[in-house]
Amino acid sequence: MKIVFLGAAREVTGSCFLIDTGHVRFLVDCGMVQGSRDASARNSRPFAFDPKSIDFLLLTHAHIDHSGLLPKLTAEGYRGPIYTTAATADLLEVMLPDSAHIQESEALLHAKRHDKPARNGEAAFRPLYTVHHAYECLRQVRSVAYDQTLQPHADVRCCYRDAGHILGSAILEVWVSEQGQTSKFVFSGDLGQPAQPILRDPTFIDEADVLVIESTYGDRNHKNPVDTEEELVGILKRILPRGNVIIPAFAVGRTQEILYELNRLTREGLVKDLKIFVDSPMAIEATRITQRHMDLFDAEAKELSAWQSQGNNLPYIRFTASVEESKSLNKIRSGAIIISASGMCDAGRIKHHLQQNLPRPECGILIAGFQAQGTLGRRLVDGEKRVRIFGESVPVRASIHTVGGLSAHGDRQALLDWAGHFRRPPKRTFVVHGEESTALEFADTLRTQYGWDVTVPELGDIAHWEGQKEIVGNDGVVEKPA
């Protein structure tokens, strides 16, 4: 039996893991690489396996860095089921066609910019997949309920547990049988921060033979809720009288959480007369889907929803779907909170709003989520004074505010608390989904604090074992690819 680490290995994006016993082969996630300079080239490469050889796929959640290459998998011959929660299945119906549309649009734009035919030896720029592929892929999606056992293969059974990260996100418990022995794998997926708005807290797992755990914020803690609230209120009160607050936000998860928080602050009288514009067609659809799955909300979110339904003293919220409505926001010089995708500022309408508002010192950019290396959002967080947007050099005069307490990812302490609920150490733990320095630091913390046997795999590493015997490889832990 082996695991091949095909993504999210010493990086935050491109989550993909292959489990192979010789009798069954399946994937956990099939995500797109985002942010890095070689992201496009890596996403375009053939898969490191034959898609036709995969028996089934288990998907943890809908974010593109976990799901974004599913249509490519279908386009290249995968015909098996894609198992995921009902809410994730609903979100994929919006996200995958949108991702495909972006692929096709970028290919068309590239063709217009390079209108000469490809010369000998040059490959024409092609989309990773088309809208047709996305819809074909959606036909393979199968909904799974939380906390119920699924048996996708005679040698495999699994259970989806609430990860509390975004709507429909899941931790996977997977039991794999080989030669009469059963090993239990746990894939954390992306774990949410406890006590965050809307969603329930991540489910604790008490046992695993092999644990694959994320480490996005494994080297630092978020501000506590009280300090986060004070920081957010201070930003709004200071900037809105003279300028706009621009919030890059993932259309799925982050946008809905920010809307919740702004409604809560209004309800509690901490802010008033807010004018909020949600400028993302996908975020509009994701918000509607979120409202359809209120059974997944925590008690506080259900209470706030009841207050909203009464319609008293609500903030002004406008969803701008059309391009014309989006452009009209550029005329607003102050008092507007504009929430727009993408969350890392690398695509979508947020780039237009940044182009308009970054040069204005009276405006503020509120960063509420993780920014991967190489993204425009990361360059802003790192303090660059000029950035390029649509080929133009744009001065950064607006104030940049990183409010980590709004993150949907669990921080270092939350990850440690979740790990601390295992009754005994997993026989082997792999730390993934974190930048290299972060993953290494978190792995060292698990070793020193819990005494765990921990490895931080590199891209392409292969971990071997037989039944429940110790994991072995050419270096005692993992095998490096040839």
Side-chain angles (χ1 to χ4, degrees):
M1 190 185 305
K2 65 183 179 182
I3 299 182
V4 187
F5 297 89
L6 299 173
R10 305 197 180 202
E11 61 184 347
V12 175
T13 65
S15 179
C16 186
F17 312 104
L18 169 66
I19 295 85
D20 186 353
T21 72
H23 297 284
V24 60
R25 304 183 90 203
F26 64 95
L27 295 178
V28 173
D29 290 346
C30 191
M32 187 180 291
V33 179
Q34 298 173 301
S36 62
R37 291 183 178 179
D38 64 343
S40 179
R42 287 178 58 189
N43 289 326
S44 298
R45 291 174 191 160
F47 289 107
F49 52 87
D50 179 2
K52 296 177 183 177
S53 72
I54 302 301
D55 294 294
F56 60 90
L57 186 146
L58 307 176
L59 179 64
T60 60
H61 64 288
H63 275 157
I64 290 297
D65 62 325
H66 292 256
S67 70
L69 292 187
L70 288 174
K72 183 186 177 198
L73 192 70
T74 292
E76 296 188 10
Y78 176 64
R79 295 294 178 265
I82 299 167
Y83 294 105
T84 195
T85 65
T88 297
D90 285 350
L91 291 171
L92 291 178
E93 291 181 2
V94 177
M95 298 184 71
L96 294 185
D98 180 81
S99 176
H101 175 71
I102 291 172
Q103 300 300 320
E104 292 183 327
S105 298
E106 289 182 349
L108 182 61
L109 182 61
H110 188 276
K112 288 181 178 178
R113 287 177 177 172
H114 305 80
D115 55 2
K116 296 179 181 179
R119 289 176 284 184
N120 290 338
E122 291 183 342
F125 185 87
R126 293 184 176 87
L128 290 173
Y129 47 82
T130 66
V131 172
H132 170 75
H133 294 136
Y135 283 113
E136 285 295 304
C137 173
L138 290 171
R139 295 173 62 182
Q140 296 168 245
V141 174
R142 305 288 183 268
S143 295
V144 179
Y146 281 122
D147 305 324
Q148 293 188 12
T149 300
L150 167 73
Q151 184 135 18
H153 186 275
D155 294 337
V156 181
R157 59 187 175 90
C158 61
C159 188
Y160 283 66
R161 307 292 190 183
D162 199 333
H165 171 59
I166 66 167
L167 189 75
S169 61
I171 301 158
L172 297 179
E173 293 183 286
V174 186
W175 292 264
V176 182
S177 297
E178 181 188 38
Q179 298 177 358
Q181 298 287 334
T182 299
S183 298
K184 181 184 178 183
F185 297 79
V186 172
F187 295 86
S188 74
D190 287 355
L191 294 170
Q193 180 75 358
Q196 284 293 86
I198 302 180
L199 299 178
R200 299 174 299 211
D201 290 351
T203 303
F204 293 121
I205 308 297
D206 59 10
E207 191 172 29
D209 295 309
V210 179
L211 170 64
V212 180
I213 184 172
E214 70 119 323
S215 60
T216 310
Y217 284 98
D219 61 346
R220 57 199 183 277
N221 289 325
H222 303 322
K223 286 186 177 179
N224 65 55
V226 173
D227 290 343
T228 298
E229 179 183 278
E230 291 179 356
E231 182 180 15
L232 179 56
V233 169
I235 292 168
L236 298 177
K237 288 185 174 180
R238 185 167 61 254
I239 292 174
L240 290 176
R242 299 186 302 114
N244 299 321
V245 173
I246 310 301
I247 307 179
F250 294 110
V252 176
R254 186 58 39 78
T255 293
Q256 293 75 37
E257 290 162 1
I258 291 171
L259 287 174
Y260 172 98
E261 196 65 18
L262 295 174
N263 272 282
R264 185 187 66 80
L265 294 177
T266 299
R267 180 193 182 194
E268 296 180 8
L270 297 172
V271 293
K272 60 181 181 179
D273 301 326
L274 295 183
K275 295 180 176 59
I276 306 164
F277 299 88
V278 180
D279 189 31
S280 167
M282 190 197 300
I284 296 171
E285 291 302 315
T287 302
R288 290 172 180 159
I289 292 170
T290 300
Q291 292 169 337
R292 292 208 304 264
H293 288 275
M294 285 193 63
D295 57 307
L296 303 180
F297 288 12
D298 60 18
E300 291 81 5
K302 291 177 180 177
E303 182 181 346
L304 183 66
S305 179
W307 171 76
Q308 288 175 304
S309 66
Q310 296 173 6
N312 297 323
N313 301 316
L314 300 177
Y316 173 85
I317 300 178
R318 179 180 168 190
F319 292 89
T320 55
S322 71
V323 173
E324 291 73 21
E325 288 177 304
S326 177
K327 289 180 177 179
S328 71
L329 299 181
N330 294 333
K331 300 175 183 178
I332 303 175
R333 306 305 291 172
S334 66
I337 301 171
I338 301 175
I339 306 170
S340 187
S342 70
M344 296 186 191
C345 310
D346 263 5
R349 295 180 179 181
I350 188 62
K351 296 178 72 174
H352 295 277
H353 299 305
L354 291 173
Q355 187 180 43
Q356 294 292 322
N357 290 274
L358 276 174
R360 302 177 58 210
E362 67 271 25
C363 293
I365 313 301
L366 197 159
I367 305 294
F370 184 82
Q371 306 297 307
Q373 288 183 346
T375 61
L376 173 57
R378 183 60 170 265
R379 294 196 291 276
L380 294 174
V381 169
D382 288 345
E384 290 195 14
K385 300 304 181 185
R386 300 189 76 89
V387 295
R388 295 196 71 79
I389 302 177
F390 301 124
E392 173 190 342
S393 178
V394 178
V396 181
R397 300 191 185 104
S399 54
I400 310 297
H401 307 270
T402 303
V403 185
L406 294 176
S407 176
H409 278 276
D411 62 11
R412 176 180 180 276
Q413 192 56 55
L415 294 174
L416 287 173
D417 288 346
W418 185 83
H421 278 75
F422 283 87
R423 291 195 307 244
R424 58 178 177 81
K427 293 181 179 179
R428 174 67 67 184
T429 295
F430 296 98
V431 173
V432 299
H433 205 284
E435 292 179 354
E436 183 170 29
S437 60
T438 301
L440 290 169
E441 181 174 332
F442 184 62
D444 189 58
T445 302
L446 289 173
R447 291 189 198 99
T448 56
Q449 186 160 326
Y450 294 144
W452 286 10
D453 189 356
V454 186
T455 298
V456 182
E458 298 182 35
L459 190 64
D461 278 358
I462 305 169
H464 292 269
W465 67 98
E466 295 180 5
Q468 294 186 340
K469 294 181 181 179
E470 290 294 321
I471 297 175
V472 296
N474 66 357
D475 62 354
V477 178
V478 294
E479 173 188 341
K480 303 297 179 183

